[in-house]
Amino acid sequence: MKYEQFIDNKFGFLGNDFLEEIQNRTSIVQIKSKTEIIAEGDRIKSIPFVVKGCLKVYSLNDGRELIYNYIKPGETCLMSFSTIFSDYKSRVYVVAEEDSEAVIIPVSVLQDWLIKFPEINKLFYYEFDQRFTDIMKMVNDAVFHKLDKRILSYIKQQISITGNNPVKLTHKEIANNLGTSREVVSRVLKKVENEGEIIQTKEGIKMPLNENIRLG
């Protein structure tokens, strides 16, 4: 998605005065893959809106990642946004999952806009609904789905995010993101490979084009 198209699609409903403000009071940045944008405890100074690429939002517990959601084009980090009403300190980590581009809105500017353009709240109500749905799905998967289904769902998600099939994923990376051990992931991947659900190659993990994964 091009920058101009992104701005028009995301903020056009707020009118020309707002579009002029966003041109003058924001910046656009290029973010290299695996770059950490926000760390837990960081003071939030700006809010990113993803134009292209993907950002991962997660927390750490004993060195293991708990992924909350992925921020895709047209979306923002609602957890970062929520801190501007409290202590301004992040409770999560945000890392670029791939080479990305984002519009950066300073917190002070966003606070001005919430007063000057109150309809912008509709945007954040929508974002809140989307992120709440993501977290509900994450909890549902963790509680009700067996590990093999969770691993297949994660691989499928990564293929969708990156557009790559096969997708480059290490067993350790999968284990960290799903809160388990590398050894367990290796055993599960071997099992689902024998069942024909995936193919493991030097290029990564591939799902057959005619795959029919039952995630429910």
Side-chain angles (χ1 to χ4, degrees):
M1 184 184 298
K2 293 183 178 179
Y3 171 73
E4 294 79 9
Q5 181 186 355
F6 166 81
I7 294 298
D8 187 57
N9 289 349
K10 196 70 179 177
F11 302 106
F13 75 97
L14 292 165
N16 291 333
D17 288 344
F18 183 85
L19 293 179
E20 184 176 345
E21 288 241 352
I22 204 169
Q23 293 281 353
N24 296 331
R25 303 185 70 183
T26 66
S27 58
I28 187 162
V29 298
Q30 309 296 323
I31 309 166
K32 290 289 187 183
S33 177
K34 307 307 179 186
T35 299
E36 184 178 86
I37 303 166
I38 299 171
E40 184 179 2
D42 281 356
R43 187 164 291 276
I44 301 297
K45 298 179 180 178
S46 59
I47 308 297
F49 275 86
V50 176
V51 178
K52 65 179 182 181
C54 179
L55 309 181
K56 179 172 69 175
V57 182
Y58 67 97
S59 62
L60 283 177
N61 186 0
D62 293 331
R64 291 184 176 178
E65 294 181 3
L66 175 61
I67 298 175
Y68 293 114
N69 65 283
Y70 291 91
I71 309 172
K72 299 179 285 294
E75 300 175 349
T76 187
C77 179
L78 195 66
M79 291 185 178
S80 297
F81 173 76
S82 67
T83 65
I84 73 174
F85 300 107
S86 54
D87 59 5
Y88 294 83
K89 289 186 178 179
S90 175
R91 298 184 292 274
V92 296
Y93 294 86
V94 181
V95 172
E97 189 76 353
E98 56 186 276
D99 289 347
S100 303
E101 183 176 278
V103 173
I104 302 299
I105 304 177
V107 165
S108 59
V109 171
L110 192 52
Q111 289 173 326
D112 288 345
W113 286 349
L114 289 171
I115 298 170
K116 191 175 180 180
F117 303 97
E119 283 203 350
I120 199 174
N121 284 287
K122 293 180 181 178
L123 192 66
F124 293 106
Y125 292 147
Y126 172 78
E127 292 289 332
F128 175 81
D129 180 67
Q130 293 296 107
R131 299 296 77 74
F132 185 69
T133 300
D134 288 341
I135 291 175
M136 285 181 64
K137 182 180 184 304
M138 177 190 71
V139 172
N140 184 70
D141 286 348
V143 173
F144 297 110
H145 289 176
K146 294 181 179 179
L147 186 57
D148 58 347
K149 301 300 182 186
R150 290 173 59 202
I151 289 175
L152 287 170
S153 179
Y154 176 76
I155 295 168
K156 188 175 183 180
Q157 180 185 54
Q158 293 303 303
I159 289 172
S160 175
I161 288 171
T162 64
N164 297 325
N165 187 22
V167 63
K168 200 73 174 176
L169 292 169
T170 67
H171 294 191
K172 181 174 175 55
E173 180 181 356
I174 296 172
N176 287 342
N177 287 333
L178 296 182
T180 185
S181 69
R182 182 187 59 77
E183 292 78 11
V184 169
V185 167
S186 296
R187 287 198 297 271
V188 172
L189 287 176
K190 188 63 178 176
K191 171 181 174 291
V192 295
E193 184 175 30
N194 290 337
E195 294 171 351
E197 299 277 16
I198 64 168
I199 301 169
Q200 297 189 78
T201 71
K202 292 181 179 179
E203 289 73 33
I205 300 174
K206 181 177 181 179
M207 284 190 163
L209 294 178
N210 61 348
E211 52 82 20
N212 183 23
I213 301 171
R214 297 177 300 278
L215 298 177

